[in-house]
Amino acid sequence: MEDYRRIADRIADDIAAGRLKPGERLPPQRVFARRRGIAGSTAGRVYGELVRRGLVVGEVGRGTFVRAAPPASGHALAEPATTAPVNLELNYPSAPGQSELLAPALAPLLRPDVLTESLRTAPATGTAAAREAAAGLLATPGWRPAPSRLAFAGNARQAIAAAFASLVRPGGRVGIESLTYPLVKEIATRLGITLVPLPMDAEGLRPEAVAAAHRSAPLSAVYVQPTLHNPTSVTMGDRRRRQLAAVVTDLDLPVVEDRIWSFLHEGALDPLGAYAPERTYVVDGLSKRVAPGLTVGFLVAPEERVEQVAAALRSGAWTASRFALEAAVRWIGDGTVEHLVRAKRQDAARRQRLVAEHLGEHTVHSDPHGYYAWWELPSPWRADTFTAAAAKRGIAITPGSAFTSVAVGMRAARGPRPEESGILSAPASAPAPSSAPTSDCVRLGLATTAPQELAQALRTLAGIARTRP
């Protein structure tokens, strides 16, 4: 019997040579087995090997398709992974005159006497000045974290990793939205954590889904993005936040709350940490507010867990540099961060208007406060083939598969509608998560490209969508 890997090698050669083109559907496994004269089980192993190599993608009920590009990884959304002239994968906003605004606060740090102190190591809990400044920055109308609950990482991603490391043993289970921030998957893999996808609806994570998953097999924690969820732009209302807080309180279940984009939302909704302070680990940072190059991540932990979080930050080498802390204190104190937040809110609104102008004929889920858009592609386009077509025109975008917490589509993950589950229905104006499979969706990052280039890129993408693959 021929080895299944050799058969997979020949299919791989066909893909590399262009005999099998991106987006082309492979025959059903039983047909493949009959044509090749092999057992059905062998055909299944061939297809599994092709999936493992990242050459094809299987979609329940639709078949197996040749990938347009190598599978997306978390790195693709964290650092340049493309040579495309227009990059709508990365999403780092920058305000006009940003460098000129930031420079004055750094000047005093360059005096030799001050610089000597700023170059010393800082504890994971930062300095007293940093804790006070961060507590004020993160405060909302109904919540202000106690400075004693603050710890500091190099960035928000490291703060998430430290929260997970302090809460979850290797092999532990973390509940997570069925669509999620890609780098969280990478963090979980490196820490040996199993992610459990949880259903979403028009307001994000469904509280009763958390309880059901925990009853099925205990969770160690839950990770959630309640404000401007990436990639769908969904924001939980206050009532949903209270419901979720009540559920995790009843279950005595820790929550890692990612608020990295919350500064854009002018509604200033209180975090889950306001309703379940003893169970919530609030993560935020300066990379989006200020700049990714010199940044600080914030982690607000329950009072009695600060030392465990600090230990995790130290052991992972994730602590913030003292120089970054000193710069952050000055930028927060002199109003620079507040100025940048206002400018970026206006910039995000302007870019969302471009999306509405150029993609208005399509089903695009976004928020007027947000820096990204979740686009349900028109049939017969699939995310893989559309991503490849965009790349040929010099535009890098992110296929929906990069955001699945496991290899499932949104339709399978959503479960019953809110009105069927007893959980409140979302208002009609709320941006709803897509019911389309993620293979039919792409995310557009709007922040990094100049507005004129963004407008042209959106026009080009709209033109591609009007054609056929």
Side-chain angles (χ1 to χ4, degrees), residues 199-223:
M200 301 168 64
D201 62 19
E203 278 206 278
L205 182 62
R206 290 167 43 186
E208 86 281 11
V210 176
H214 191 62
R215 285 194 299 268
S216 175
L219 300 174
S220 298
V222 173
Y223 168 84

Side-chain angles (χ1 to χ4, degrees), residues 287-326:
S287 63
K288 311 299 185 185
R289 283 181 173 89
V290 180
L294 183 61
T295 188
V296 174
F298 308 123
L299 181 50
V300 182
E303 195 78 52
E304 70 278 5
R305 294 282 302 176
V306 173
E307 181 48 45
Q308 288 91 332
V309 164
L313 286 164
R314 290 191 296 268
S315 64
W318 296 320
T319 55
S321 73
R322 185 181 289 268
F323 188 90
L325 286 176
E326 295 293 342

Side-chain angles (χ1 to χ4, degrees), residues 36 161 188 258 266 368 436 444:
R36 300 271 174 165
D258 187 342
E266 297 182 62
L444 308 179

Side-chain angles (χ1 to χ4, degrees), residues 312-370:
L313 286 164
R314 290 191 296 268
S315 64
W318 296 320
T319 55
S321 73
R322 185 181 289 268
F323 188 90
L325 286 176
E326 295 293 342
V329 169
R330 284 164 171 76
W331 286 330
I332 295 169
D334 68 8
T336 297
V337 174
E338 183 180 357
H339 179 94
L340 290 174
V341 166
R342 288 197 302 269
K344 291 179 181 181
R345 285 175 176 173
Q346 295 171 359
D347 183 54
R350 181 165 56 249
R351 291 165 186 263
Q352 287 291 349
R353 289 194 292 271
L354 292 176
V355 173
E357 177 183 351
H358 297 293
L359 300 182
E361 65 189 277
H362 298 282
T363 303
V364 180
H365 302 287
S366 61
D367 186 292
H369 305 94

Side-chain angles (χ1 to χ4, degrees), residues 183-202:
L183 279 178
V184 172
K185 297 185 288 184
E186 187 171 311
I187 291 169
T189 298
R190 295 191 177 195
L191 294 177
I193 292 170
T194 299
L195 295 180
V196 180
L198 301 175
M200 301 168 64
D201 62 19

Side-chain angles (χ1 to χ4, degrees), residues 87-177:
N87 193 330
L88 303 187
E89 288 185 313
L90 296 186
N91 217 21
Y92 287 110
S94 178
Q98 180 166 295
S99 297
E100 289 78 6
L101 285 168
L102 296 173
L106 295 180
L109 296 178
L110 301 182
R111 283 176 24 207
D113 56 330
V114 179
L115 185 61
T116 298
E117 183 64 24
S118 298
L119 294 180
R120 300 183 190 277
T121 59
T125 52
T127 63
R131 291 191 294 273
E132 287 289 344
L137 178 69
L138 301 181
T140 60
W143 178 76
R144 189 184 193 278
S148 58
R149 295 176 58 195
L150 263 295
F152 299 89
N155 53 48
R157 297 191 299 276
Q158 294 175 345
I160 293 169
F164 280 4
S166 72
L167 289 168
V168 188
R169 295 179 181 274
R173 291 159 40 92
V174 172
I176 193 166
E177 294 137 324

